Amino acid sequence: MPRLIIISNRLPVTIDKKDGELFYYPSAGGLATGLNSLDTDMERIWIGWPGQEISDTTVQDQVKKDLREDGLVPVFLSQQEIELYYEGFSNETIWPHFHYFTQYTTYNDDYWDAYQNVNTKFATIVNELIREDDFVWVHDYQLMLLPAMIRKAFSKVSIGYFLHIPFPSYEIFRILPWREELLEGVLGADQIGFHTFDYMRHFLSAAYRIGGHEHSFGKLAIKKRMVNVDVFPMGIDYDKYAFPEREVGKDKVEAHVTRLQSKKRKLIISIDRLDYSKGIPQRIKSFEQFIKKYPQYRGKVTLMLIVVPSRTKVDQYEKLKLEVDTLVGSIDGQYRTFGWSPIQYFYRSFPFDELAALYKAADIAMITPLRDGMNLVAKEFIASKEESKKGVLILSEMAGAANELTEALIINPQDSNDMVEAIVKAIEMPEEEQERRLVKMQEKLKRYTVKHWASTFMNEQMNLKSVKERNTTNLLNEEKKTTLLEAYQKAEKRLLFLDYDGTLMGFQNDPKKVIPDEKLLNILEGLKADPKNKVVIISGRDRHTLEEWLGHLGLDMAAEHGVWIKRRNEWKTPDLKKDWKPDVRHVLEGLVERTPGSFIEEKEYSIAWHYRMIDKGLGEKRVREFRDVLLYLTANLDLQVLEGNKVVEIKNAGVNKGKAAAYWLGKDSYDFTFAIGDDSTDEDTFRALPEDGFTVKVGLGNTDARFNVLDVENVRDLLEELQK
Ligand code: GDG
């Protein structure tokens, strides 16, 4: 039975040591809640740092033993590791950088070394524990190298990775000296999840520009592995915030709410960890601007500013604290009256019952981060209005949550006028409008809960695994190969179709560089030497190239996807027109003119425009622009425009490898037929073969072939084995 292995920097538990005794307090954050609610009987194991330094090995053993009962496995970190890996690389390098605070990014090789070492430490513990059939789910920016490290030890294990913070635009990401390692680390996973489509888009762009990995609809092929990149917006435990009384008792919550609302003032709340990404000074300044510009609201509105202490040891956070303290003090000093203080400032965290009451009592929530992966506080505030249907959310467009909570008052946190007007609009919003907006947002949050988030991520990961298994079930394993070899040995007359590029030879940027090597020539000669064999090279290349490279072998060949056919050492072609070529060439020359690095390949009966050397996005844009012109030109000419892998080819309609294969099949009868190829044009060959023919696709992916092999090397091995 597979197990679910969760790995995050922090375990969902806090340890306290008092008088030599250990106490454990579970901390049920969003992640733990989501995972606990998963409907699965899979055993769960959670690996992570227990939150404080424990250096004594006897105590470590005790902690390990105590936590094992709850399925928790601790990774112990030394004080130095905490400083360099956690406070250092994680919080002073990745955190600011991924939140677009590049001025705060620390470039420190010691941090980087520690980050690698601690990721390795996690990997060692994980690798001792997991089995190949487990599902592994790695979380967040502290462990970006871990997926690849696990993959190295377990090539088949299913790994998911979720990033809880934004993934920045490629232009920002590329600045990091360790960009490649971080990227390849994450790409060790089978599935990579983000909160929003923007983060996914940025990641795919970085994967392409830095790693050269192309994607198709979010799927990347990395060294024969398929990696799925997708969007999974994290939700909340809706009922917990809608009905907090169920958890902590009705009286308690109600008493807090009554106290908070007793002043009959509009209450605006602001809740965040102390962090520069949260836009706290900007929010305070815009509140000041609001009371300055609209004096009629003085005494009638209070901002309750809750700042939860965090990362107190980092320099920037100390400075930020000072800035917030000064701003609040200055506004209070200027505007405070005997009966009213404009800002109520708390620098501490609140127990859940008080937090829930705050949400319920507040008229307005101002959640205006400069950058935020998702922001769950915004969602919790909306849920807390389940019963009252009164309340307005002012939300930054820079928070991931803004993609879903579109009925909030969406603002740009750097635009103070925008924020001031939003405050006024929120205060004056009619109750029906508040309700209308809230209901729409609540509907979404009720449906897309944290449970939904965790289960969609896991279901997708499981799906991927079964698709992978299905794909690999067609792999030409030893048993299937034996069947093929036996049929080959028994046969008296065999017909073999071999595609060239991507099948007999690997893919190169310059198509002229794919000259056959000696090994390949030997293989082909060997096959040809057997009088029972008819070997046909079936390719999209022009006949001159094929003739130059392989002509001396005396094999039959089909060039230009079957436009030219060589049989009994003679090239023939059906009577095809080529007077259309000058017009099309003219269009393609215009394309080359505007697109340095692209080039035209002219064959006798077709013309191709290649853009394999340039940015794929630019190439595709050009194709789109010119496709209409090409289609117009070719409309009445019985031509077809084929879009291949970084190439567009224009050729006569009705010519393909399938028709070419049929030509040979019709010339004689065979008791063994075989075709091998790697791309979509080879599918025509596969379909042309009789049902008992042996068809083999090179690479995984959808195909009409009966079998798959992984790569060119496998093809060569197979062709060699046929001759033994
Ligand atoms: C990352 C990303 C992304 C806050 N103050 C108190 C308190 N809280 C609770 C809230 C909420 C949570 O903490 C904070 O949620 P965030 O969404 O801000 O997330 P983080 O975990 O800090 O950070 C973020 C998130 O991951 C999830 O993927 O949304 O963008 O940075 O649940 O209720 N809870 C109590 N007292 C407080 O004073 N009890």
Side-chain angles (χ1 to χ4, degrees):
M1 179 81 176
R3 301 163 307 168
L4 175 56
I5 316 285
I6 321 287
I7 310 158
S8 63
N9 172 59
R10 271 292 266 118
L11 277 178
V13 70
T14 304
I15 303 179
D16 200 7
K17 226 176 4 177
K18 247 188 241 151
D19 304 327
E21 213 183 324
L22 293 161
F23 297 91
Y24 300 90
Y25 304 99
S27 42
L31 182 57
T33 314
L35 295 167
N36 287 337
S37 62
L38 279 177
D39 289 324
T40 164
D41 25 356
M42 267 199 277
E43 186 194 340
R44 261 165 273 184
I45 296 171
W46 195 320
I47 302 172
W49 174 47
Q52 58 163 285
E53 196 203 358
I54 300 171
S55 47
D56 186 327
T57 49
T58 1
V59 184
Q60 286 188 354
D61 289 343
Q62 185 60 41
V63 170
K64 270 194 219 164
K65 205 168 135 232
D66 294 343
L67 292 179
R68 196 176 304 143
E69 291 161 25
D70 296 320
L72 305 178
V73 178
V75 178
F76 297 107
L77 301 180
S78 70
Q79 194 50 40
Q80 205 196 21
E81 285 170 332
I82 295 165
E83 273 162 31
L84 301 177
Y85 141 83
Y86 178 64
E87 287 157 8
F89 199 79
S90 301
N91 288 341
E92 286 184 44
T93 304
I94 305 187
W95 176 274
H97 204 79
F98 280 32
H99 285 86
Y100 294 76
F101 282 82
T102 50
Q103 70 276 31
Y104 294 157
T105 309
T106 307
Y107 300 89
N108 179 327
D109 284 332
D110 292 337
Y111 285 4
W112 169 242
D113 289 344
Y115 188 79
Q116 294 177 88
N117 292 340
V118 173
N119 272 257
T120 310
K121 194 171 196 175
F122 269 81
T124 313
I125 294 178
V126 174
N127 292 345
E128 273 168 14
L129 206 138
I130 61 170
R131 301 190 297 244
E132 199 78 78
D133 67 338
D134 286 336
F135 288 93
V136 179
W137 192 2
V138 181
H139 287 267
D140 229 359
Y141 64 101
Q142 300 90 350
L143 300 173
M144 293 181 80
L145 305 178
L146 190 55
M149 289 176 173
I150 303 174
R151 174 68 60 217
K152 216 170 159 193
F154 290 84
S155 63
K156 291 199 199 85
V157 73
S158 167
I159 308 174
Y161 175 83
F162 190 83
L163 185 73
H164 290 260
I165 64 172
F167 192 91
S169 128
Y170 159 72
E171 288 298 339
I172 298 287
F173 184 67
R174 70 187 297 200
I175 301 171
L176 284 179
W178 312 281
R179 60 203 180 177
E180 218 166 318
E181 290 91 332
L182 293 172
L183 182 78
E184 297 300 334
V186 169
L187 285 170
D190 298 288
Q191 169 159 282
I192 302 167
F194 298 97
H195 282 307
T196 75
F197 182 66
D198 285 328
Y199 308 156
M200 164 178 164
R201 205 162 53 72
H202 294 155
F203 178 79
L204 289 173
S205 156
Y208 175 59
R209 284 158 195 273
I210 293 165
H213 308 299
E214 286 174 28
H215 77 98
S216 149
F217 300 105
K219 295 221 162 33
L220 300 145
I222 311 270
K223 292 192 197 139
K224 301 171 200 164
R225 255 185 334 110
M226 197 67 94
V227 178
N228 182 40
V229 182
D230 212 334
V231 180
F232 303 90
M234 188 172 178
I236 55 165
D237 177 357
Y238 190 85
D239 288 352
K240 181 173 170 189
Y241 295 90
F243 313 106
E245 318 68 51
R246 292 181 189 167
E247 208 158 304
V248 287
K250 198 168 167 133
D251 301 348
K252 223 171 170 179
V253 178
E254 262 177 15
H256 294 315
V257 174
T258 318
R259 219 173 313 125
L260 284 160
Q261 288 178 331
S262 64
K263 294 280 193 304
K264 298 250 174 296
R265 285 192 185 111
K266 287 277 181 187
L267 178 62
I268 306 180
I269 54 161
S270 148
I271 304 177
D272 343 64
R273 246 180 348 93
L274 179 74
D275 197 292
Y276 43 78
S277 66
K278 301 290 183 181
I280 304 172
Q282 287 82 350
R283 194 178 312 151
I284 302 173
K285 285 182 199 158
S286 70
F287 183 72
E288 181 185 17
Q289 199 177 319
F290 156 74
I291 45 178
K292 205 163 163 187
K293 187 170 173 193
Y294 297 99
Q296 64 269 36
Y297 290 116
R298 290 184 200 165
K300 294 185 182 134
V301 180
T302 300
L303 172 65
M304 195 174 230
L305 181 72
I306 292 158
V307 179
V308 180
S310 124
R311 303 177 194 172
T312 39
K313 285 189 208 139
V314 181
D315 226 21
Q316 273 97 30
Y317 290 72
E318 245 174 76
K319 286 196 192 120
L320 178 64
K321 166 79 171 41
L322 199 65
E323 189 184 358
V324 172
D325 289 356
T326 315
L327 276 170
V328 173
S330 141
I331 297 169
D332 210 41
Q334 268 190 77
Y335 295 97
R336 184 185 193 132
T337 63
F338 287 131
W340 173 66
S341 65
I343 303 182
Q344 285 189 31
Y345 173 37
F346 301 84
Y347 179 60
R348 64 175 173 90
S349 69
F350 284 79
F352 172 69
D353 56 322
E354 289 181 27
L355 179 78
L358 264 170
Y359 285 148
K360 275 187 178 279
D363 300 285
I364 298 162
M366 267 189 98
I367 297 168
T368 59
L370 302 177
R371 271 309 146 171
D372 212 333
M374 172 54 79
N375 196 304
L376 300 177
V377 171
K379 294 187 168 183
E380 292 163 4
F381 172 73
I382 297 296
S384 79
K385 305 300 179 190
E386 171 65 21
E387 281 168 321
S388 73
K389 300 284 188 257
K390 276 192 233 104
V392 183
L393 172 64
I394 300 176
L395 179 62
S396 162
E397 63 179 68
M398 309 297 173
N403 288 280
E404 292 161 86
L405 303 178
T406 45
E407 290 78 15
L409 298 181
I410 306 285
I411 53 90
N412 174 353
Q414 294 286 15
D415 183 344
S416 59
N417 293 322
D418 197 12
M419 282 208 266
V420 170
E421 296 319 311
I423 297 174
V424 177
K425 190 167 176 191
I427 294 173
E428 290 175 358
M429 188 180 285
E431 285 188 359
E432 309 81 73
E433 185 178 345
Q434 294 183 27
E435 173 157 1
R436 196 160 26 85
R437 289 173 183 257
L438 281 171
V439 168
K440 284 206 178 133
M441 291 190 271
Q442 286 168 346
E443 274 167 9
K444 291 180 239 186
L445 295 181
K446 274 182 225 177
R447 178 162 175 203
Y448 302 104
T449 59
V450 67
K451 175 180 176 178
H452 180 272
W453 169 78
S455 59
T456 11
F457 190 96
M458 276 324 298
N459 288 343
E460 261 318 293
Q461 196 176 327
M462 287 174 186
N463 266 345
L464 283 177
K465 190 176 174 184
S466 48
V467 169
K468 198 157 123 186
E469 278 165 1
R470 224 178 307 135
N471 275 342
T472 45
T473 49
N474 285 338
L475 268 187
L476 196 66
N477 56 17
E478 284 311 314
E479 192 190 326
K480 291 179 184 124
K481 204 190 278 174
T482 311
T483 320
L484 190 152
L485 292 175
E486 278 172 9
Y488 182 90
Q489 295 305 343
K490 261 195 238 147
E492 288 303 317
K493 233 168 155 189
R494 316 178 188 115
L495 178 59
L496 297 96
F497 293 108
L498 313 177
D499 168 51
Y500 188 77
D501 292 86
T503 302
L504 299 176
M505 293 293 294
F507 199 75
Q508 291 267 354
N509 266 348
D510 180 355
K512 298 215 172 65
K513 283 215 180 110
V514 201
I515 302 172
D517 52 61
E518 212 179 302
K519 184 170 177 192
L520 175 61
L521 293 174
N522 286 338
I523 292 174
L524 295 176
E525 261 167 32
L527 283 173
K528 166 94 194 333
D530 187 334
K532 292 178 180 168
N533 288 348
K534 158 82 58 201
V535 181
V536 183
I537 302 291
I538 189 160
S539 164
R541 283 191 179 262
D542 68 86
R543 70 177 165 134
H544 301 294
T545 308
L546 289 182
E547 193 54 43
E548 186 190 327
W549 289 351
L550 304 169
H552 63 283
L553 298 174
L555 303 169
D556 280 9
M557 296 197 262
E560 295 187 34
H561 301 105
V563 169
W564 282 99
I565 287 200
K566 184 184 181 190
R567 197 165 161 263
R568 297 194 177 133
N569 278 319
E570 203 185 314
W571 284 101
K572 271 198 226 145
T573 179
D575 189 18
L576 292 169
K577 286 198 172 133
K578 51 180 170 178
D579 51 357
W580 51 270
K581 278 174 63 192
D583 284 347
V584 172
R585 189 191 309 117
H586 182 71
V587 174
L588 295 184
E589 275 163 0
L591 217 52
V592 172
E593 196 73 20
R594 288 191 50 208
T595 324
S598 70
F599 61 93
I600 294 171
E601 182 192 5
E602 184 152 356
K603 308 175 199 176
E604 242 159 305
Y605 287 92
S606 69
I607 306 187
W609 179 66
H610 290 272
Y611 56 97
R612 47 175 101 186
M613 318 271 257
I614 65 166
D615 188 294
K616 193 173 175 232
L618 176 61
E620 284 166 355
K621 174 175 158 31
R622 291 280 180 266
V623 173
R624 251 196 308 278
E625 287 165 3
F626 280 81
R627 193 166 37 197
D628 286 346
V629 184
L630 284 173
L631 288 177
Y632 172 76
L633 267 177
T634 55
N636 302 314
L637 293 172
D638 206 19
L639 298 178
Q640 50 181 332
V641 179
L642 287 184
E643 284 182 39
N645 184 9
K646 294 186 175 176
V647 56
V648 191
E649 182 155 1
I650 299 95
K651 62 184 184 90
N652 287 283
V655 178
N656 63 44
K657 288 186 180 176
K659 292 239 163 97
Y663 171 80
W664 271 278
L665 284 160
K667 288 282 174 209
D668 214 333
S669 57
Y670 298 92
D671 54 358
F672 178 91
T673 53
F674 174 89
I676 190 159
D678 72 310
D679 73 13
S680 57
T681 62
D682 299 304
E683 295 295 317
D684 291 323
T685 322
F686 300 150
R687 283 190 285 267
L689 255 62
E691 225 165 90
D692 62 352
F694 289 88
T695 47
V696 185
K697 154 119 181 150
V698 187
L700 299 174
N702 282 338
T703 178
D704 278 332
R706 284 171 63 193
F707 309 106
N708 296 76
V709 292
L710 288 176
D711 53 20
V712 171
E713 230 169 280
N714 292 160
V715 176
R716 291 174 168 218
D717 290 347
L718 176 66
L719 296 181
E720 275 180 335
E721 270 185 76
L722 289 178
Q723 300 170 41
K724 276 182 198 158

